[in-house]
Amino acid sequence: MKQSPSHFVGALIALLASVLTMKAAERPNILYLMADDHSTAAIGAYATTLKNVVQTPELDRLASEGGRFTNVQCINSLCAPSRATIITGLYSHQTGVYTLRENLNTADIPSLPKGLQAHGYQTAAIGKWHVHGDNLHGFDYYAITRSQGAYFNPALGDFNGEKIRLKGYSSDVLTDHSIEWLQNRDSEKPFFLMLHFKATHSPWQYAQRHESLFADTKIPEPPTLFDDHRNRDPNGLATAQSRIHKTNSKMSLSLWFSSSKKGSSADWPSGEISIDGLSDIEKAKATYQKYAKDYLRCVKGIDENVGRIRAYLEESGQLENTIIIYTSDQGMYVGEHGLFDKRLGLDPAMRMPLIIRYPKQIAAGSVHDALINNVDYAETILDMTGAPIPASMQGFSFWGLATEQGDWNRRQSLYQFYSNGVSKHYGLVTETYKLLKYVDKNNQVSGFDLFDRKNDPHELQNLATNPEYATILAKMEAALAAERQSVGLTDALLPGSAETGKPTK
Ligand code: CA
């Protein structure tokens, strides 16, 4: 029997619909795991100094089964600004989240969760959030901390404004809550889950079961623990924050650890250290040992929970169709340059860990040294799923790089730091060089550092004053100007000039 054209069109539509349904079923889930302040130095797959002590078998397994990125730069090394950038694909001068204080509102702008939700994903955020404002549009569920959150019995705000009090150690109970959400979700849709650990942020409180871990271990010291900063521009560390040990400094970690005046002794789970009568070098060494041990115990807590949620995916048959991403909101000093914390734009603070496991498209054990940054995250994650990428986002998808299916053209990354603790500063990272410009209290550039990233990976030697590098310096200045132009970083929006402030709510 001859079929009518309308019958034929109907059959074609039915076929197309079934293909689309099939495509939807094949769309990968995305498990986005993000730690807070987790340095690459403290992940086995990346570690050098800590290689033989850090215990991250689960993260190392993700790296050996997936791709590991070695040159991911944070454009503003501080919690809230980095997170605002990750969910919007915008630089800090576009999110308006310059420091820890400002609001981010996403009702009227594209965001990563909004893009995935519109693409048919069931979306959730669980754990530390720390971005103020109306920015949870696009999440079907959330249970988050608006600020730092606690290591024990964390209180989360849920979708209905209700408080949830989880009982237990944060990395454990945030993972429990995430697994519960996965168990109860709509399994007809692919999921996008952001599980954000509170660890490894200060005050480095670890689970009780890790109390004796490293008890008899001497943690190796980074080669720059006693860096005197002599050959860098003095404007870069014009203030005293973030020192492992500095005599008479209120912001010295040695003082925090040895006195209940700053964090109380209850904040330091392994107790206070007694450093009276020690030399300055001995004080720094003792402080580093305690800091590194507490920090690495927090790392261990994350690693175990990465293993738990992975095991849940495996047992429920979802592992192979889930892209697992592990990263941190920025890097961290774990004693390098005599520092803790982040902020100052040297490598340990700017470099973010990034591991992506997806055997269907990413080669096991692949290592990617190309330069990328956290502005690129949102577009890349949208791209993984085939979701449209909003034109207003300012990064680039590196999915083609990750899957070895496409070119990658980023050759430089901007840095912008507007907060306190160190001088405000901005600059540019290329594959070969880094230029940082420090801004004084009068909002004038007071000095700059130029580093050769290849020949001076520890960034110990400022080349800006070396006449032999005048051409390189001029090229970096020109590249910085071009990058600022391309991302809309005007003079008025530079660190020191931009109006930073408090959240309105
Ligand atoms: Ca952080």
Side-chain angles (χ1 to χ4, degrees):
M1 194 177 96
K2 197 176 173 186
Q3 291 179 337
S4 69
S6 65
H7 186 99
F8 178 74
V9 169
L12 197 64
I13 289 171
L15 179 68
L16 196 62
S18 73
V19 167
L20 285 174
T21 307
M22 194 174 71
K23 280 277 177 205
E26 286 173 354
R27 268 186 259 170
N29 302 308
I30 297 173
L31 176 62
Y32 179 90
L33 304 167
M34 186 159 76
D36 196 353
D37 299 1
H38 192 176
S39 167
T40 54
I43 295 176
Y46 288 95
T48 53
T49 299
L50 299 175
K51 194 87 181 171
N52 294 325
V53 293
V54 65
Q55 295 188 17
T56 54
E58 293 294 341
L59 294 174
D60 300 346
R61 180 155 68 134
L62 288 184
S64 68
E65 294 173 352
R68 180 168 64 90
F69 297 80
T70 66
N71 201 359
V72 185
Q73 303 290 321
C74 186
I75 57 113
N76 183 344
S77 186
L78 202 61
C79 305
S82 175
R83 290 154 186 263
T85 285
I86 286 168
I87 59 170
T88 59
L90 300 173
Y91 286 86
S92 300
H93 62 279
Q94 296 291 336
T95 64
V97 183
Y98 297 105
T99 72
L100 302 179
R101 295 171 177 275
E102 301 82 9
N103 284 341
L104 173 69
N105 300 321
T106 57
D108 301 322
I109 62 167
S111 75
L112 172 59
K114 285 168 75 172
L116 290 174
Q117 189 181 54
H119 195 53
Y121 275 70
Q122 197 176 11
T123 55
I126 292 171
K128 172 170 167 171
W129 193 250
H130 204 179
V131 185
H132 301 288
D134 175 23
N135 54 49
L136 289 148
H137 297 279
F139 285 112
D140 295 311
Y141 177 76
Y142 61 79
I144 55 145
T145 66
R146 281 289 187 183
S147 58
Q148 294 289 358
Y151 266 111
F152 290 95
N153 306 325
L156 308 175
D158 81 356
F159 205 75
N160 302 311
E162 300 281 325
K163 273 207 166 173
I164 304 171
R165 175 77 70 170
L166 300 175
K167 293 269 187 222
Y169 181 64
S170 69
S171 299
D172 300 339
V173 295
L174 295 173
T175 304
D176 290 342
H177 200 66
S178 297
I179 292 173
E180 276 171 36
W181 181 81
L182 288 169
Q183 286 169 331
N184 294 309
R185 72 189 180 87
D186 174 4
S187 58
E188 293 295 307
K189 291 181 176 178
F191 71 79
F192 171 60
L193 169 62
M194 302 184 98
L195 164 52
H196 291 186
F197 296 105
K198 190 267 183 320
T200 52
H201 196 282
S202 64
W204 312 296
Q205 294 173 323
Y206 48 80
Q208 198 170 6
R209 64 180 178 279
H210 297 135
E211 195 169 10
S212 60
L213 185 64
F214 309 120
D216 301 319
T217 306
K218 182 177 185 291
I219 309 295
E221 294 167 359
T224 58
L225 180 60
F226 294 100
D227 179 9
D228 60 8
H229 303 266
R230 183 183 304 166
N231 296 321
R232 269 191 301 275
D233 190 286
N235 294 288
L237 265 180
T239 61
Q241 190 155 355
S242 308
R243 304 299 179 100
I244 293 283
H245 171 68
K246 189 165 194 284
T247 309
N248 298 327
S249 168
K250 288 180 184 171
M251 299 307 292
S252 170
L253 192 58
S254 59
L255 184 73
W256 294 13
F257 278 173
S258 60
S259 161
S260 56
K261 283 179 188 166
K262 188 69 191 178
S264 72
S265 57
D267 283 345
W268 314 121
S270 52
E272 294 176 12
I273 53 171
S274 175
I275 55 173
D276 285 350
L278 299 183
S279 69
D280 281 340
I281 284 179
E282 288 167 338
K283 284 178 179 175
K285 284 174 172 281
T287 301
Y288 170 74
Q289 286 299 314
K290 174 178 164 54
Y291 168 43
K293 286 183 183 185
D294 289 358
Y295 186 87
L296 293 177
R297 289 167 182 151
C298 291
V299 168
K300 179 68 174 168
I302 290 178
D303 192 73
E304 289 172 350
N305 281 291
V306 169
R308 286 178 62 227
I309 198 161
R310 174 207 169 102
Y312 166 74
L313 292 175
E314 194 158 21
E315 287 156 14
S316 58
Q318 301 176 88
L319 181 62
E320 295 318 308
N321 198 39
T322 300
I323 300 174
I324 302 178
I325 302 168
Y326 184 85
T327 191
S328 168
D329 60 350
Q330 80 285 305
M332 186 74 171
Y333 295 102
V334 189
E336 299 93 341
H337 306 292
L339 302 174
F340 70 101
D341 204 61
K342 49 266 181 180
R343 300 167 195 267
L344 179 65
L346 301 182
D347 195 66
M350 282 180 70
R351 189 189 298 266
M352 302 163 74
L354 178 65
I355 298 167
I356 307 180
R357 181 195 187 277
Y358 189 50
K360 286 182 184 176
Q361 289 190 51
I362 295 185
S366 51
V367 178
H368 304 281
D369 298 326
L371 183 66
I372 63 183
N373 71 25
N374 54 329
V375 183
D376 300 325
Y377 277 30
E379 282 164 72
T380 303
I381 296 170
L382 290 168
D383 201 19
M384 292 174 185
T385 71
I389 296 174
S392 58
M393 288 187 174
Q394 295 184 292
F396 306 98
S397 168
F398 56 81
W399 193 233
L401 170 76
T403 57
E404 298 172 42
Q405 299 286 321
D407 296 333
W408 179 242
N409 296 316
R410 178 183 288 291
R411 293 291 177 269
Q412 53 196 33
S413 179
L414 195 71
Y415 192 64
Q416 45 185 179
F417 185 79
Y418 297 83
S419 190
N420 56 5
V422 294
S423 302
K424 294 175 174 61
H425 56 294
Y426 63 97
L428 192 78
V429 185
T430 69
E431 287 171 339
T432 320
Y433 294 100
K434 177 187 288 184
L435 174 64
L436 296 176
K437 305 177 79 162
Y438 305 107
V439 178
D440 66 16
K441 287 176 181 166
N442 300 315
N443 301 337
Q444 302 299 311
V445 172
S446 53
F448 33 102
D449 275 318
L450 175 69
F451 299 118
D452 180 334
R453 297 185 70 211
K454 297 289 182 203
N455 296 313
D456 178 25
H458 294 307
E459 300 171 326
L460 295 169
Q461 184 66 52
N462 174 23
L463 300 169
T465 53
N466 182 338
E468 289 177 21
Y469 284 82
T471 308
I472 300 290
L473 181 60
K475 279 185 181 171
M476 285 297 286
E477 287 277 19
L480 172 60
E483 188 70 7
R484 284 181 52 193
Q485 173 94 25
S486 81
V487 304
L489 181 60
T490 61
D491 287 351
L493 295 173
L494 281 174
S497 301
E499 193 174 332
T500 59
K502 294 183 176 178
T504 53
K505 183 185 157 193

